Amino acid sequence: MWARLGIPILALAALCSCEEAPQDEAPFVPEYAGVETRLLDGDLVNFFVEMRGARDAGDVEDYARCAAAQYALIRGYGFARHLRTNVAQEGGLWRGDAVYTISAALPRGLKTIDAEVVALACAENGIPMV
């Protein structure tokens, strides 16, 4: 029957996972503790974020990215470029210290973000912004 629908049996088998997810993994329930922004120079902005319940540094970096996207939009810019993010964790509290440039036009570099697209994704994923 599946072959008649144009779905090869092996492809269908790949879609069906027979393994169950590990039961000992804790659910991801982040607590976002706030964002502080500091304008360093013209278009250079420093974001300090804090959260609990992060799975790893990537969750903290995502939080800072969301803050940068919203900040760019608030200032009337459409783009940001990531310069650096430092992440530290102590006693369950994760802290991020990120620096971005914001601009009206797509900046040069590899780590650029479209502020509107990123802000939408943040809202969809429940990550608060500035």
Side-chain angles (χ1 to χ4, degrees):
M1 172 175 128
W2 295 105
R4 284 186 291 174
L5 295 174
I7 303 172
I9 299 297
L10 290 177
L12 183 63
L15 293 175
C16 301
S17 175
C18 297
E19 295 182 35
E20 291 184 27
Q23 297 298 321
D24 58 343
E25 276 189 36
F28 178 51
V29 184
E31 294 177 30
Y32 299 100
V35 176
E36 181 185 330
T37 60
R38 288 190 194 148
L39 184 60
L40 299 175
D41 182 40
D43 63 350
L44 193 62
V45 186
N46 199 175
F47 299 91
F48 299 95
V49 298
E50 291 185 352
M51 69 182 293
R52 292 186 179 280
R55 295 169 290 202
D56 56 34
D59 290 333
V60 181
E61 292 167 359
D62 289 345
Y63 188 21
R65 184 179 304 107
C66 291
Q70 185 66 30
Y71 184 89
L73 292 173
I74 289 169
R75 296 290 181 170
Y77 295 102
F79 300 93
R81 181 168 59 100
H82 177 255
L83 299 177
R84 68 143 172 88
T85 300
N86 295 319
V87 176
Q89 189 264 343
E90 183 179 334
L93 180 66
W94 291 78
R95 291 188 173 101
D97 171 4
V99 177
Y100 283 81
T101 59
I102 56 173
S103 61
L106 182 64
R108 298 171 113 186
L110 299 176
K111 296 184 176 184
T112 60
I113 62 172
D114 180 320
E116 193 170 318
V117 171
V118 171
L120 264 169
C122 295
E124 288 176 4
N125 289 305
I127 302 173
M129 296 171 272
V130 176

